[in-house]
Amino acid sequence: MRLTRLVFQLARRNASLIHRREMATSDRGSSIIPKTVNPDIQEERNAATFNVEDFALWWHGGEENLKRKRYVESSVFADIDENKTVASIQSLSHDEIYAAAMEDALALAGKLRKLQKELNPGGKDIWPGLFSGPELWGAMPGGNPFTVHFSMLVDAIRNQGTDEQFEKFGKRAENLEICAAFAQTELGHGTFLRGLQTRADFDSKTDEFVLNTPTITAYKFWPGGLGHSANYSLVMANLYIDNKPKGVAMFMVPIRDEETHMPLPGIDIGDVGKKLGFYGVNNGYLGMKNVRIPRTNMLMRHAQVEADGTFIQSPAAALGYFSMVFGRCWISANNTTMLAIAATIATRYSAVRRQGSINPKQPEVKIMDYVTQQMKLFPEIATCIADRLAALKLRQLYHQTERDIKKGKYDGLGEIHALSCAMKVMCTSDSAAGIERLRLACGGHGYLASSNLSNLYSTATAGCTYEGENTVLLLQVGRFLMKSAQQVMAGKPLAPTASYLAKIKMDQWSGSWENIVEALECATANKTHQALKNIAARMEAGQTQGEAANNTGIELTQAAELYGRSFIAANFLQEVTGINAKTRSPALNKVLENILELYLVKAALDNMNNIFRIVKITDEDVNSLQASLEKSLKSMRPNAVAICDGFDFPDRNLLSTLGCFDGNVYERIFEEAKNCSLNKEPVPRVFHTHLKPFMKSKM
């Protein structure tokens, strides 16, 4: 109750601040953007069949969460420089982008620290809880150099280090008293961790580890914040004792002086240069030559090295990779947010963009009235909702596994690893492909940097390769499925998310929601068993197990994708039709049922080649699915804008001329163009220095 009252008091104060800032902007008289809402987008909101606030409350997990989110956003964005946009950031040099990103990140950190003291003293839910999340991306249009520090590094020290090590390193990192990178990937190795070339040799005489990157390909390459932000790095290296390999371990390595920030002896460090996206994240490289650290800087919650060189092995090898599971949970959730932002931008734009007519001699229609446009927009709305719900479920399973580990129970590690890999693949590939479809749905204007769609795409598609390249992760899921299929054959129990693998055929097709989910699960089982059968056949023909698995790789990745899609679909069905439905209004439930049907019907049509193999389906059945798809699009049409409003993104987080709440698209596009730095002078200097002399020259 104290938090609620304080939020309301402070929200009133901040509302006044925002109002004064808007009035100041209006007084300047320089903006051509109307202060009113575009009537076309208001018409969409008036037509909605449900209460948008009900959707927002459901989406954000209840009244307290939504109030806090809105208050924090209003506080952080109250004094933000509105001229600092993605487009303006992209016009800067690489050095300037990094400086701007650092300034913005630290300004946000200061605000969040203050808000934490105001709203929940002693807690961590706001600072550092919100620092690397999507709620406040709009405060850092150039990116956050400390994202990996807070999203992975602190958690890795907590779960891989001892309590004493967390006291020494983790708490300082959590308070940003030190800045640390998570250095796993090398120039020559990424997902294949056993192949890492970075060495950590134990010297029992000095009770130290000696770290080296013996070749160029051994250099750490890509860690976020490593270039010039971090003064420590959690280095993943192969451990050697008396020149004998002991496996991969993690080491907390000082890399820059805490006072001067100069690289320490033996450290070769820098920024990797410009990238497709993540402009200000300061991804870096790290080389080490005979860098010595105390033995106690190796994270030793699970595996230990004693002073005499005795190596105590981890009780479960997979524990060493558990921090990456958390990273994949985080990536999955963030990518669903990117897709939701893109869907909001494209849907609002489609509500105000008029082009052509459906009937001759009729006025131009909103492009969202075209069924083909609806097919570009609405499935992506459904996908971001389905993926986000599954990402939340994945996070719950992760925390359950975390609790089990503390009790000495490790039997769930294989499942959570496979599921996190599958979810990371599905959410990143869904968002990357979906954002590109939504950009194309906005026509030429979607190509503008000011639309923010290109930035969203470059950020989302990066997720397809960092923290495990997607194809490699699918193959890891495939191995889990092969082991599960062998357990079926041996009559052994299966992991909960793979419990359906014993059923490879369906009795009957009805096309109901439950039937579609069952079909996806049976298709997963059928593809899994077919892949296992083909591996066995290839081995019988003389191939090694590795060769047989490689040659069956296509089927293994297909089975893995089906496993991921089945999990998402089953979870979506449970959320919409299960016990949680009783907590929602009938109108909201009807909307969610419409979205669920669209998602499931499209999933069935997309996977029909696999479903054909496990149940008899007629042409009439397929035609019925197509009719259901079109009906779902039609039912969703009056609610599309309202659903996106329910995501509750403030304009500052959208950072888009096409997607603002007021729908004044053309004025925003034109004002952004007028403010382009190239337009500061009527005649650019290059005209006088190059173009005019060339045109006047005689050849």
Side-chain angles (χ1 to χ4, degrees):
M1 292 299 294
R2 176 181 179 274
L3 175 60
T4 301
R5 288 196 299 270
L6 187 55
V7 164
F8 279 131
Q9 291 167 5
L10 296 174
R12 284 197 295 268
R13 183 195 70 187
N14 272 15
S16 176
L17 289 173
I18 293 171
H19 177 70
R20 287 200 299 270
R21 178 172 56 82
E22 288 178 345
M23 291 302 294
T25 302
S26 178
D27 289 343
R28 288 199 304 268
S30 59
S31 177
I32 64 170
I33 301 170
K35 294 296 181 182
T36 55
V37 174
N38 186 308
D40 276 344
I41 204 165
Q42 188 59 50
E43 180 183 45
E44 297 293 326
R45 293 178 176 128
N46 295 341
T49 64
F50 69 101
N51 187 327
V52 172
E53 191 71 1
D54 287 346
F55 187 103
L57 287 167
W58 167 72
W59 185 250
H60 291 284
E63 186 175 9
E64 281 293 310
N65 288 343
L66 184 59
K67 286 176 181 175
R68 188 195 71 162
K69 166 197 168 294
R70 287 174 174 170
Y71 171 69
V72 170
E73 287 170 346
S74 66
S75 299
V76 168
F77 297 149
D79 61 350
I80 209 82
D81 181 1
E82 295 293 346
N83 293 317
K84 188 175 282 188
T85 63
V86 172
S88 69
I89 288 290
Q90 289 179 353
S91 69
L92 303 176
S93 70
H94 190 51
D95 294 2
E96 291 169 332
I97 290 174
Y98 172 62
M102 180 66 77
E103 291 169 10
D104 290 343
L106 295 178
L108 175 60
K111 291 177 179 179
L112 292 180
R113 281 176 168 172
K114 183 178 179 181
L115 286 167
Q116 186 70 69
K117 291 178 181 178
E118 287 180 314
L119 299 178
N120 187 18
K124 298 177 182 178
D125 52 328
I126 297 171
W127 170 260
L130 299 179
F131 187 48
S132 60
E135 296 89 347
L136 300 170
W137 281 344
M140 302 172 287
N144 186 349
F146 305 107
T147 295
V148 175
H149 174 104
F150 283 105
S151 64
M152 288 188 64
L153 186 282
V154 173
D155 189 76
I157 299 174
R158 179 182 290 110
N159 285 312
Q160 301 296 327
T162 63
D163 291 343
E164 294 76 15
Q165 288 175 320
F166 189 77
E167 282 291 324
K168 181 178 180 180
F169 298 117
K171 287 192 173 180
R172 293 189 72 202
E174 199 169 39
N175 294 326
L176 205 58
E177 296 169 18
I178 59 173
C179 308
F182 189 98
Q184 171 185 306
T185 302
E186 297 175 352
L187 187 58
H189 283 88
T191 310
F192 182 54
L193 297 185
R194 293 194 306 275
L196 293 179
Q197 295 175 297
T198 303
R199 289 181 63 118
D201 288 87
F202 180 60
D203 183 347
S204 59
K205 295 178 182 178
T206 61
D207 200 28
E208 293 175 317
F209 289 107
V210 184
L211 284 94
N212 281 282
T213 48
T215 65
I216 290 178
T217 54
Y219 264 57
K220 296 300 181 183
F221 205 89
W222 280 115
L226 176 62
H228 297 88
S229 308
N231 53 16
Y232 278 79
S233 182
L234 185 58
V235 174
M236 194 170 282
N238 269 302
L239 167 63
Y240 287 84
I241 301 176
D242 295 330
N243 209 33
K244 295 178 182 178
K246 301 297 181 181
V248 174
M250 295 181 183
F251 304 86
M252 199 67 177
V253 182
I255 55 177
R256 289 180 181 271
D257 185 275
E258 289 194 32
E259 291 297 325
T260 67
H261 209 57
M262 286 294 292
L264 294 173
I267 297 294
D268 183 18
I269 195 168
D271 187 279
V272 301
K274 282 196 171 184
K275 309 168 294 285
L276 182 65
F278 282 96
Y279 310 113
V281 172
N282 195 216
N283 300 82
Y285 63 81
L286 170 66
M288 294 172 289
K289 185 174 182 179
N290 296 326
V291 173
R292 289 180 172 268
I293 59 172
R295 175 179 56 87
T296 52
N297 279 29
M298 171 182 159
L299 299 191
M300 296 194 196
R301 180 174 291 276
H302 305 299
Q304 295 97 36
V305 176
E306 297 183 341
D308 63 358
T310 300
F311 178 68
I312 302 173
Q313 198 160 0
S314 169
L319 286 170
Y321 309 119
F322 192 60
S323 58
M324 287 181 287
V325 172
F326 179 81
R328 287 163 188 156
C329 293
W330 178 80
I331 292 166
S332 299
N334 275 9
N335 274 67
T336 67
T337 300
M338 294 177 213
L339 182 56
I341 289 174
T344 300
I345 293 168
T347 300
R348 288 177 176 173
Y349 175 75
S350 298
V352 300
R353 174 74 167 179
R354 290 180 176 271
Q355 203 81 177
S357 58
I358 295 174
N359 294 311
K361 299 181 181 180
Q362 293 279 320
E364 286 194 299
V365 299
K366 300 175 181 179
I367 61 174
M368 195 157 59
D369 288 334
Y370 293 105
V371 174
T372 49
Q373 185 74 357
Q374 295 168 19
M375 190 61 191
K376 296 175 185 177
L377 301 173
F378 300 169
E380 304 309 332
I381 296 175
T383 297
C384 74
I385 293 172
D387 284 359
R388 182 177 184 273
L389 293 172
L392 291 174
K393 181 66 174 180
L394 174 66
R395 182 69 69 93
Q396 293 173 8
L397 295 173
Y398 167 82
H399 288 307
Q400 181 58 55
T401 306
E402 194 176 37
R403 291 190 290 271
D404 290 343
I405 289 171
K406 291 179 180 178
K407 297 175 184 177
K409 296 169 61 178
Y410 309 117
D411 52 342
L413 283 170
E415 181 184 31
I416 194 65
H417 169 71
L419 186 60
S420 67
C421 287
M423 277 295 297
K424 187 265 189 184
V425 171
M426 302 310 293
C427 293
T428 57
S429 56
D430 281 350
S431 64
I435 291 168
E436 176 62 2
R437 273 191 288 272
L438 292 164
R439 183 189 70 79
L440 294 171
C442 293
H445 292 325
Y447 197 67
L448 288 167
S450 68
S451 76
N452 198 27
L453 292 168
S454 61
N455 177 54
L456 285 167
Y457 175 77
S458 65
T459 304
T461 196
C464 296
T465 48
Y466 64 62
E467 288 309 310
E469 192 276 333
N470 278 2
T471 301
V472 176
L473 295 187
L474 287 174
L475 290 170
Q476 292 182 17
V477 177
R479 284 195 288 273
F480 165 78
L481 294 175
M482 293 304 99
K483 291 178 182 177
S484 299
Q486 289 171 333
Q487 289 175 307
V488 170
M489 296 169 66
K492 295 180 179 180
L494 296 172
T497 60
S499 59
Y500 54 80
L501 288 181
K503 186 176 181 180
I504 61 174
K505 292 289 182 181
M506 278 180 66
D507 299 327
Q508 187 177 359
W509 173 264
S510 69
S512 69
W513 299 340
E514 294 80 5
N515 190 245
I516 291 173
V517 171
E518 182 187 1
L520 291 172
E521 292 177 342
C522 284
T524 306
N526 182 274
K527 182 66 73 172
T528 296
H529 286 276
Q530 187 62 45
L532 182 62
K533 180 180 177 181
N534 288 341
I535 288 175
R538 287 182 166 114
M539 290 178 67
E540 287 178 10
Q543 295 182 16
T544 66
Q545 184 175 354
E547 290 169 342
N550 177 52
N551 290 327
T552 315
I554 294 173
E555 287 176 301
L556 289 172
T557 57
Q558 290 171 342
E561 286 180 326
L562 283 166
Y563 168 73
R565 189 65 68 198
S566 296
F567 175 77
I568 295 169
N571 185 74
F572 196 5
L573 176 66
Q574 177 62 32
E575 171 62 29
V576 172
T577 64
I579 192 170
N580 289 341
K582 296 179 180 179
T583 66
R584 300 186 295 260
S585 70
L588 178 57
N589 278 332
K590 188 173 182 180
V591 170
L592 294 177
E593 288 166 4
N594 178 204
I595 298 169
L596 171 67
E597 179 160 26
L598 174 59
Y599 182 82
L600 292 179
V601 168
K602 186 175 183 298
L605 289 169
D606 288 346
N607 290 283
M608 192 53 64
N609 61 323
N610 292 306
I611 295 175
F612 273 140
R613 302 179 73 170
I614 53 96
V615 68
K616 182 180 179 181
I617 293 184
T618 65
D619 284 348
E620 185 178 345
D621 292 327
V622 177
N623 290 337
S624 177
L625 279 174
Q626 180 66 28
S628 295
L629 176 73
E630 294 168 7
K631 180 182 176 183
S632 297
L633 295 175
K634 184 177 180 180
S635 297
M636 196 166 167
R637 169 65 185 85
N639 290 314
V641 168
I643 292 168
C644 292
D645 287 350
F647 295 147
D648 207 57
F649 294 119
D651 283 351
R652 184 62 202 179
N653 266 1
L654 297 175
L655 287 170
S656 175
T657 53
L658 307 189
C660 284
F661 184 85
D662 63 19
N664 293 315
V665 169
Y666 298 120
E667 293 85 354
R668 291 181 185 277
I669 291 174
F670 191 69
E671 183 161 281
E672 189 76 21
K674 292 285 284 186
N675 290 333
C676 172
S677 59
L678 193 58
N679 296 329
K680 289 181 178 178
E681 299 293 336
V683 180
R685 187 177 64 87
V686 74
F687 171 80
H688 297 290
T689 59
H690 288 77
L691 181 55
K692 183 178 179 180
F694 184 86
M695 291 191 297
K696 296 294 185 181
S697 65
K698 296 180 180 180
M699 302 299 291

